[in-house]
Amino acid sequence: LEIINLEEYKKQSKGKYEIAIISTKIEKIENYIELLKDMVTENTIIIPVQNGFYTYEYLEKEFGDNVLAASLSIVAKSENNTTSENLTKKATFSISEPKDQELNEVLTKFINTTKNNINYEIISNKQELMWRKFSRIVSLTCSCIYYENELGEILHDEEKYNFLIEILDSMKSLASEYGVEIIIEEELIRINSISPHLKTSLYESLERGVPGEFQYIIVEALKRGLEKN
């Protein structure tokens, strides 16, 4: 396993990789597409973990079925400019099942190497995974921003928790228009397993006075709603 700073990779190519987990900011994805092409082979699995649909759909156009849908929630507290404290005991990494047998073998090897530190969930339907992930992040983001609270404060206040459930229910209705069933009880179990210190990245961006993922989460939800109304 190797963590690669893509800015550093520009200066010196380090070869090809079996799996590339893309964790850069959504707005930077297009800047790094040529670098990514240089890092992968026809049997490389590409796993974007950004919120929303944009990164997955953009990379899928370039790399087809080598791109797997994924959901990963890790909450960390910045200690300084270079280090952070991990507040997630054991993250759950949800990944869509590869269609290709060779890619499936690559993913299995990766999971077996890292399963002591991460819980894995393999989901056969990409769209189900994407909509479940999107519904959670929209509900969490709207709730944290509206009340200006961390997740823990939302979960332990009946009024705030009901507000979160109402948004989740609205997202369930929207997902059903796209042929995906969201089971609210299951998503609430996942939400309650997240670190109570979660604010969501968009909430933290707005606190800093920058738009962050606004267009990829809030605007995206509105756009997909308008497409069905």
Side-chain angles (χ1 to χ4, degrees), residues 56-67:
Y56 169 77
E57 292 177 346
Y58 178 77
L59 292 175
E60 187 185 39
K61 290 177 183 177
E62 293 286 345
F63 302 101
D65 289 337
N66 288 56
V67 181

Side-chain angles (χ1 to χ4, degrees), residues 56 67-69 94-99 104 107 121-130 132:
Y56 169 77
V67 181
L68 305 183
S94 302
I95 305 174
S96 63
E97 185 177 14
K99 294 181 179 179
N104 204 12
L107 180 61
E121 175 186 39
I122 303 301
I123 297 178
S124 59
N125 187 316
K126 287 185 179 182
Q127 286 302 311
E128 176 191 340
L129 193 160
M130 294 295 293
R132 285 176 58 188

Side-chain angles (χ1 to χ4, degrees), residues 30-76:
E30 295 180 23
N31 297 336
Y32 293 132
I33 193 68
E34 294 304 319
L35 283 178
L36 189 54
K37 289 178 180 178
D38 187 50
M39 296 167 63
V40 304
T41 71
E42 61 181 13
N43 293 318
T44 297
I45 290 176
I46 300 170
I47 306 178
V49 295
Q50 291 77 9
N51 293 321
F53 291 87
Y54 177 79
T55 302
Y56 169 77
E57 292 177 346
Y58 178 77
L59 292 175
E60 187 185 39
K61 290 177 183 177
E62 293 286 345
F63 302 101
D65 289 337
N66 288 56
V67 181
L68 305 183
S71 174
L72 175 65
S73 178
I74 295 179
V75 181

Side-chain angles (χ1 to χ4, degrees), residues 49-201:
V49 295
Q50 291 77 9
N51 293 321
F53 291 87
Y54 177 79
T55 302
Y56 169 77
E57 292 177 346
Y58 178 77
L59 292 175
E60 187 185 39
K61 290 177 183 177
E62 293 286 345
F63 302 101
D65 289 337
N66 288 56
V67 181
L68 305 183
S71 174
L72 175 65
S73 178
I74 295 179
V75 181
K77 179 181 180 182
S78 296
E79 296 180 336
N80 51 53
N81 292 333
T82 58
T83 60
S84 297
E85 177 190 0
N86 180 21
L87 300 177
T88 307
K89 292 181 179 178
K90 192 173 184 181
T92 296
F93 202 168
S94 302
I95 305 174
S96 63
E97 185 177 14
K99 294 181 179 179
D100 182 85
Q101 181 59 34
E102 287 189 31
L103 296 182
N104 204 12
E105 290 174 1
V106 171
L107 180 61
T108 299
K109 183 171 70 172
F110 172 75
I111 289 174
N112 288 336
T113 302
T114 57
K115 63 184 179 182
N116 289 336
N117 299 311
I118 299 175
N119 294 317
Y120 284 96
E121 175 186 39
I122 303 301
I123 297 178
S124 59
N125 187 316
K126 287 185 179 182
Q127 286 302 311
E128 176 191 340
L129 193 160
M130 294 295 293
W131 272 101
R132 285 176 58 188
K133 170 184 177 180
F134 190 57
S135 298
R136 285 196 301 271
I137 193 61
V138 170
S139 303
L140 288 167
T141 296
C142 290
S143 300
C144 290
I145 291 175
Y146 183 77
Y147 287 108
E148 298 184 5
N149 284 166
E150 293 183 345
L151 175 59
E153 296 171 283
I154 303 292
L155 297 181
H156 292 96
D157 184 291
E158 183 177 0
E159 176 188 335
K160 297 173 183 179
Y161 191 53
N162 287 336
F163 179 85
L164 184 151
I165 293 174
E166 287 178 11
I167 298 174
L168 193 55
D169 189 54
S170 296
M171 293 304 298
K172 172 185 176 180
S173 298
L174 179 56
S176 69
E177 294 292 325
Y178 287 85
V180 176
E181 180 184 6
I182 301 292
I183 300 174
I184 289 182
E185 291 76 16
E186 291 183 2
E187 300 314 314
L188 288 175
I189 290 173
R190 176 66 65 85
I191 287 171
N192 277 274
S193 72
I194 299 172
S195 167
H197 298 288
L198 174 78
K199 282 188 174 181
T200 79
S201 53

